[in-house]
Amino acid sequence: MSAPTGIAGIPASPPLEKKPVKFSNLLLGAGLNMFEVTTLGQPLEVAKTTMAANRADGFAGAISRIWSRGGVLGFYQGLIPWAWIEASTKGAVLLFVASEAEFYVKAFGAPDFVAGISGGMAGGLAQAYATMGFCTCMKTVEITKHKVASTGAKPPGTMATFMDIWRREGIRGINRGVNAVAVRQVTNWGSRFGLSRVAETGIRKATGKEGGEKLGVPEKILASALGGGLSAWNQPIEVIRVEMQSKTVDPNRPKNLTVGKTFNYIYSQNGMKGLYRGVAPRIGLGVWQTVCMVALGDIAKQWVEDLTGDKVTAKH
């Protein structure tokens, strides 16, 4: 059957098809995210959050502070259930919304590059409000509630803390800082996607693969790691998010924090340096996420296909 032709015999573009969101794709994303966060992901997250909440600490000071909270286990505060909930739902929410948004943006005639960024940003926004808001809030609460222990009292457990916030502040308390999370996710996915593509173009030029040849695993990791690392330019949003969710007591901190009030407070207390506290572990976290998604992607893809009998079509 011949391809459809357009005006003057020019081949017409194939009709735009909406790709189904497959269970195997969601399982692959959830599995890789769960592995990433349970290994190095949560320790780096804890280090990043501790530095952002205690901006007078350097990296060594943050490590010492974390260790004093419980040794090795101190680096895994907030893992169960909050980081696990976030990781397991990340792929489902993000992939579904990103896929839908990308389809409709393409239907309006946008090129693939614009549609890809738009889909990623929409997925990041949905993920922030659907699951990441309360998960990041509770992880930050877990990491910053250590002042209770310093008084000699036993700090409340995870669910007791959750229920206490729910009783006192309701859904707004559980989702404190969610607007900052949304801004971070949108800028993260937009810049990470774009910067990774720029890095990939540079690598193709350097290796003579400008004709579309397949990149090797080390080259894919390098391109994605550069994109992930460079996207840490928006670290001030992350520090603002941590401060809004932090349980650290400071009489100088304004009541009813907004993103703008929090920015002014951090800048007045710690300057521009304070707004970039925790950027080093965040870059490390971006690189580790990349290594997990790219280097382990093929192994995980094969395992999911064997388990479900369904061909995985998601990119990693």
Side-chain angles (χ1 to χ4, degrees), residues 120-143:
M121 291 171 72
L125 188 69
Q127 180 197 356
Y129 285 108
T131 59
M132 276 195 75
F134 78 88
C135 286
T136 57
C137 183
M138 292 310 302
K139 282 192 296 180
T140 305
V141 167
E142 287 283 310
I143 294 164

Side-chain angles (χ1 to χ4, degrees), residues 33-303:
N33 277 302
M34 287 287 284
F35 174 83
E36 175 270 317
V37 76
T38 308
T39 49
L40 280 178
Q42 189 61 12
L44 287 167
E45 176 75 21
V46 170
K48 175 190 73 172
T49 303
T50 301
M51 290 179 72
N54 303 278
R55 290 177 296 279
D57 289 357
F59 185 70
I63 297 301
S64 176
R65 185 186 292 270
I66 296 164
W67 186 266
S68 71
R69 292 203 297 258
V72 173
L73 293 179
F75 290 90
Y76 285 90
Q77 276 186 296
L79 176 66
I80 303 170
W82 313 117
W84 275 7
I85 293 172
E86 183 184 327
S88 59
T89 57
K90 186 184 289 184
V93 176
L94 183 69
L95 186 63
F96 177 76
V97 176
S99 176
E100 290 289 302
E102 186 172 358
F103 170 79
Y104 286 110
V105 172
K106 279 184 180 178
F108 277 107
D112 288 350
F113 184 75
V114 173
I117 291 180
S118 301
M121 291 171 72
L125 188 69
Q127 180 197 356
Y129 285 108
T131 59
M132 276 195 75
F134 78 88
C135 286
T136 57
C137 183
M138 292 310 302
K139 282 192 296 180
T140 305
V141 167
E142 287 283 310
I143 294 164
T144 59
K145 70 179 183 181
H146 63 277
K147 281 188 176 287
V148 177
S150 66
T151 64
K154 184 179 179 182
T158 294
M159 294 312 298
T161 302
F162 179 88
M163 293 308 299
D164 180 55
I165 296 172
W166 179 268
R167 280 192 297 270
R168 286 187 293 106
E169 303 177 64
I171 191 71
R172 290 185 67 180
I174 295 299
N175 278 285
R176 189 172 300 284
V178 70
N179 291 333
V181 174
V183 173
R184 188 198 77 178
Q185 285 304 95
V186 168
T187 52
N188 253 9
W189 279 98
S191 60
R192 184 176 279 202
F193 184 98
L195 291 168
S196 295
R197 291 297 174 270
V198 170
E200 186 178 309
T201 300
I203 290 168
R204 286 188 179 282
K205 285 182 179 177
T207 57
K209 294 182 176 178
E210 294 178 81
E213 296 87 346
K214 192 174 181 181
L215 292 179
V217 169
E219 292 164 335
K220 280 199 250 181
I221 288 176
L222 179 59
S224 296
L226 284 170
L230 291 171
S231 65
W233 64 267
N234 65 358
Q235 180 64 9
I237 291 294
E238 176 68 357
V239 177
I240 288 167
R241 186 272 300 174
V242 170
E243 186 61 44
M244 291 178 76
Q245 296 174 340
S246 174
K247 288 298 174 185
T248 302
V249 178
D250 182 354
N252 298 316
R253 188 166 66 178
K255 303 294 182 185
N256 302 318
L257 287 174
T258 62
V259 172
K261 282 184 184 177
T262 311
F263 176 90
N264 290 332
Y265 165 70
I266 295 169
Y267 187 78
S268 68
Q269 295 288 310
N270 309 101
M272 188 58 68
K273 190 176 179 181
L275 288 163
Y276 277 90
R277 271 290 183 225
V279 71
R282 184 167 169 211
I283 290 172
L285 183 59
V287 172
W288 178 242
Q289 287 171 340
T290 298
V291 169
C292 289
M293 293 296 163
V294 178
L296 300 178
D298 287 332
I299 298 169
K301 186 175 176 180
Q302 187 60 53
W303 179 78

